[in-house]
Amino acid sequence: MATSEKAEPTRRDFLYIATGAFGAVGAAALAWPFIDQMNPDASALALASIEVDLSSLEEGQSMTAKWRGKPIFIRYRTAKEIEEAKAVDVASLIDPQSDEERTKPGKEHFLVQIGICTHLGCVPLGEAGEYDGWFCPCHGSHYDTAGRIRKGPAPLNLELPPYDFISDTVIKIG
Amino acid sequence: MSGHSTFQPQNGIVKWMERRLPIIGLAHSSFVAYPVPKNLNYWWTFGGILAFCLMAQIITGIVLVMHYAPNTAIAFASVEHIMRDVNWGWMLRYLHANGASMFFIAVYIHIMRGLYYGSYKEPREVVWILGVVIFLLMMATGFMGYVLPWGQMSFWGATVITNLFSAFPIVGDPIVELLWGGFAVDNPTLNRFFSLHYLLPFMLAAIVGLHIWAFHEAGNNNPTGVEPKDAQDTVAFTPYYTIKDLYAIVLFMIFFVWMAFMVPNFLGHPDNYIPADPLVTPAHIVPEWYFLPFYAILRAVPDKLGGVLLMFGAIAVLFVLPWLDTSKVRSNTYRPLGKQFFWIFVFVCIALGYLGAKPAEGGYVIASRIATVWYFAHFLVILPVLGLIEKPKPLPNSISEAVLAKKGGSAAAAE
């Protein structure tokens, strides 16, 4: 076929491509609801904020709340724990963060964090590990008294949920 | 059937694959080069429409299962959760619920097309029998799906239909308890119905595969009922019938989405939005519309066992239809009497559907009995006798001749 001709596009070519394109857009529009149905639904989104009363916590006690299906560790830290957390050289940490950055001003004795190991999602054990904080038994990650990763495979400090004190002893998470 | 191109791969990868697993060649010979009589009308597109319906039901169904809970305590609430909370859940459920009705509309048209054009006759008996099996599985699947929302109609529909089996002497009650997993329709029943409702569509898909295989072996029937004689009588499936089927599917989808979006509850029953109550039966209980003709037959018989037997018999008779119809001519186009009796039969079926929705009293019962007798007489008396006494019109020599005769009567000019 040495003498191939370049034919002008015909009306038929145009209709053919336009129909195909229209069909492709329609198929994509139809596919979206079948994908989007897997996203969090209205009932899941409705649970996106909770209030927790901390008044029953004494110094040295912890509690666990559930927010969006995840455990929230709330600890009333002892003076010794706070001192330990502040004594660390921030620059030496794997995920450098000061103790002040991990608490609310004036409420430094309360540490509120998402109780999920940043390695692969297990729930760490409290008051355990080599740094008096949390220890994840799954793969051996050690967190300190401010919930910062100190040793082990986890890459980041325990995540902090968005929260605020709405009174002296009540916090709103989410 | 042979003719048209055979698959000759040019691409190296396709060639490599063809030597090992000739799946592309199989698809090519089944859906591209496959020769189809060139005179198929739009009634033939319902096969493709049904394939679309099955796929739509499986896809929407799999997605609904991601949100539904088959437990009597929460099944009803989980359906409401789908309707109110789940993203697009209302649309997915309405598409699935109306999709079942669309499936039955299409299958009834498909069956009637087969009856009119004699598509069940030699050598397509197995195609037809597999089709009846598909129809039965569809009915079982549709029935069990209707139970899942666990509303009043779900519960009492399940109770009534399972109780059909109690009509059989001695074995009846043990069978019913086996079906229920207890002494009434309850959680075990819901669980197994859910399991089977998920399983049966895949069995359906497998039998659809056999159905297609079987008619690809015999070749499509066509409106003349005359087998293709040469390549002049056929065209390749692609592009001619892929595009025609696709066009029909798009038209069908317009009707489908109109139902699902504009009148989604038109074919449903308001009572099914009341949670199931095992202590109170709704005043009027009717099955889904697609069961109504059979329901009318059940109620036409003043005897429990007799009614159940006739109802099952109404479907069983379809299995032996290829051997009941004695006419040598396939298509009713060339059967002056067969054509008239066909339309009477269609009317009788629609009448049975209408009567099934009416209360079982007075004139409705009498009409149901007449229609039931006619239904069975059509298969057991009319079709066997008609083939012997009817004088069919002359058949065309070929499909091409019939087509040309229709388009201006210049059949002779083409030769």
Side-chain angles (χ1 to χ4, degrees):
Chain A
M1 295 285 272
T3 57
S4 71
E5 289 178 46
K6 262 201 169 170
E8 277 289 300
T10 61
R11 210 171 120 88
R12 182 172 285 253
D13 291 333
F14 171 77
L15 287 171
Y16 184 66
I17 291 166
T19 309
F22 194 76
V25 170
L30 181 65
W32 174 242
F34 289 83
I35 298 162
D36 188 40
Q37 54 85 20
M38 290 204 274
N39 277 320
D41 64 29
S43 66
L45 296 174
L47 300 173
S49 83
I50 57 162
E51 286 177 18
V52 184
D53 185 357
L54 308 182
S55 58
S56 60
L57 278 185
E58 303 278 343
E59 185 172 332
Q61 287 186 328
S62 300
M63 65 187 285
T64 306
K66 196 173 159 196
W67 174 66
R68 299 209 308 198
K70 296 175 178 180
I72 302 296
F73 288 164
I74 304 166
R75 179 158 179 81
Y76 191 143
R77 298 189 293 174
T78 62
K80 177 171 166 281
E81 287 171 349
I82 298 172
E83 207 178 300
E84 274 177 26
K86 286 184 190 290
V88 178
D89 174 16
V90 173
S92 72
L93 295 171
I94 298 168
D95 179 14
Q97 217 176 11
S98 68
D99 193 56
E100 288 74 23
E101 287 174 75
R102 296 186 56 80
T103 52
K104 298 286 177 192
K107 300 283 185 187
E108 286 170 357
H109 50 292
F110 283 122
L111 180 63
V112 179
Q113 48 191 354
I114 297 175
I116 297 210
C117 181
T118 56
H119 182 221
L120 291 171
C122 297
V123 177
L125 305 168
E127 294 170 78
E130 292 173 19
Y131 298 87
D132 288 341
W134 286 265
F135 170 67
C136 183
C138 290
H139 306 96
S141 292
H142 298 257
Y143 298 89
D144 66 13
T145 56
R148 293 172 298 198
I149 181 65
R150 300 294 290 273
K151 187 181 167 188
L156 298 171
N157 302 334
L158 288 178
E159 201 186 328
L160 305 177
Y163 75 97
D164 278 306
F165 279 88
I166 54 176
S167 79
D168 217 28
T169 56
V170 177
I171 56 169
K172 186 180 178 193
I173 304 173
Chain B
M1 294 191 20
S2 56
H4 299 282
S5 68
T6 47
F7 188 53
Q8 293 292 348
Q10 299 301 317
N11 181 302
I13 296 166
V14 177
K15 270 183 187 161
W16 185 91
M17 192 66 179
E18 278 298 287
R19 282 262 298 150
R20 287 152 182 87
L21 179 69
I23 192 167
I24 300 168
L26 177 70
H28 185 271
S29 60
S30 302
F31 302 109
V32 180
Y34 173 67
V36 186
K38 64 183 180 184
N39 59 336
L40 299 192
N41 55 36
Y42 271 99
W43 299 113
W44 258 264
T45 60
F46 281 86
I49 287 169
L50 284 163
F52 159 78
C53 285
L54 179 60
M55 273 197 358
Q57 287 304 85
I58 287 178
I59 292 169
T60 52
I62 285 172
V63 161
L64 286 171
V65 171
M66 295 182 188
H67 307 282
Y68 170 77
N71 182 294
T72 53
I74 51 173
F76 187 89
S78 76
V79 172
E80 286 308 304
H81 162 72
I82 290 170
M83 294 300 286
R84 291 151 196 259
D85 293 342
V86 174
N87 305 322
W88 305 96
W90 57 273
M91 184 182 98
L92 298 167
R93 174 167 173 259
Y94 278 152
L95 285 177
H96 194 71
N98 284 283
S101 286
M102 294 302 122
F103 209 154
F104 276 96
I105 289 172
V107 88
Y108 280 130
I109 294 173
H110 191 64
I111 291 170
M112 285 301 174
R113 189 271 287 160
L115 288 174
Y116 185 87
Y117 292 110
S119 298
Y120 48 85
K121 292 189 188 187
E122 190 278 327
R124 297 184 184 85
E125 300 95 326
V126 173
V127 180
W128 174 261
I129 288 168
L130 287 168
V132 181
V133 173
I134 289 169
F135 179 47
L136 273 175
L137 280 177
M138 275 178 64
M139 291 203 287
T141 309
F143 159 65
M144 287 192 276
Y146 193 57
V147 175
L148 302 184
W150 209 242
Q152 273 289 68
M153 281 296 177
S154 301
F155 184 90
W156 293 101
T159 301
V160 169
I161 300 296
T162 48
N163 261 316
L164 290 176
F165 294 92
S166 72
F168 297 110
I170 304 166
V171 293
D173 286 330
I175 288 178
V176 173
E177 281 177 15
L178 181 81
L179 291 174
W180 288 342
F183 304 102
V185 173
D186 208 335
N187 199 47
T189 328
L190 179 61
N191 273 282
R192 65 193 56 182
F193 277 20
F194 175 63
S195 169
L196 295 172
H197 184 72
Y198 206 120
L199 167 71
L200 292 186
F202 294 99
M203 294 177 63
L204 209 51
I207 297 175
V208 167
L210 294 180
H211 188 68
I212 292 171
W213 185 9
F215 83 75
H216 278 212
E217 195 61 29
N220 286 76
N221 186 26
N222 68 83
T224 65
V226 175
E227 296 290 349
K229 300 251 161 51
D230 54 36
Q232 287 285 305
D233 289 340
T234 61
V235 289
F237 186 74
T238 299
Y240 297 99
Y241 286 108
T242 30
I243 292 298
K244 184 167 181 168
D245 280 359
L246 211 53
Y247 179 63
I249 288 169
V250 168
L251 293 181
F252 188 81
M253 282 166 108
I254 292 171
F255 175 59
F256 182 178
V257 294
W258 177 77
M259 289 289 291
F261 286 109
M262 297 302 170
V263 286
N265 290 304
F266 177 70
L267 295 167
H269 300 289
D271 276 25
N272 220 27
Y273 284 102
I274 302 168
D277 181 352
L279 306 180
V280 184
T281 307
H284 290 287
I285 106 154
V286 231
E288 286 284 79
W289 70 267
Y290 37 85
F291 294 130
L292 288 174
F294 302 101
Y295 193 59
I297 292 174
L298 170 77
R299 296 191 309 179
V301 186
D303 174 72
K304 186 172 174 179
L305 180 59
V308 171
L309 288 178
L310 274 200
M311 193 186 77
F312 287 127
I315 294 159
V317 73
L318 296 174
F319 281 105
V320 290
L321 170 64
W323 296 276
L324 291 174
D325 185 353
T326 52
S327 175
K328 296 274 182 284
V329 177
R330 284 203 190 92
S331 171
N332 268 317
T333 308
Y334 305 102
R335 296 184 61 188
L337 291 175
K339 188 187 287 180
Q340 291 173 41
F341 281 105
F342 169 82
W343 287 111
I344 294 170
F345 179 73
V346 171
F347 172 78
V348 165
C349 289
I350 293 170
L352 280 170
Y354 168 79
L355 293 165
K358 292 288 160 191
E361 58 196 27
Y364 294 129
V365 176
I366 297 164
S368 298
R369 287 181 186 161
I370 296 169
T372 300
V373 169
W374 190 277
Y375 180 94
F376 284 98
H378 180 80
F379 293 110
L380 300 174
V381 181
I382 295 169
L383 287 181
V385 172
L386 216 52
L388 304 175
I389 62 168
E390 183 182 44
K391 187 177 182 303
K393 290 197 265 183
L395 293 176
N397 289 315
S398 70
I399 291 170
S400 290
E401 188 189 288
V403 171
L404 290 171
K406 209 172 165 187
K407 307 278 182 216
S410 55
E415 294 303 314

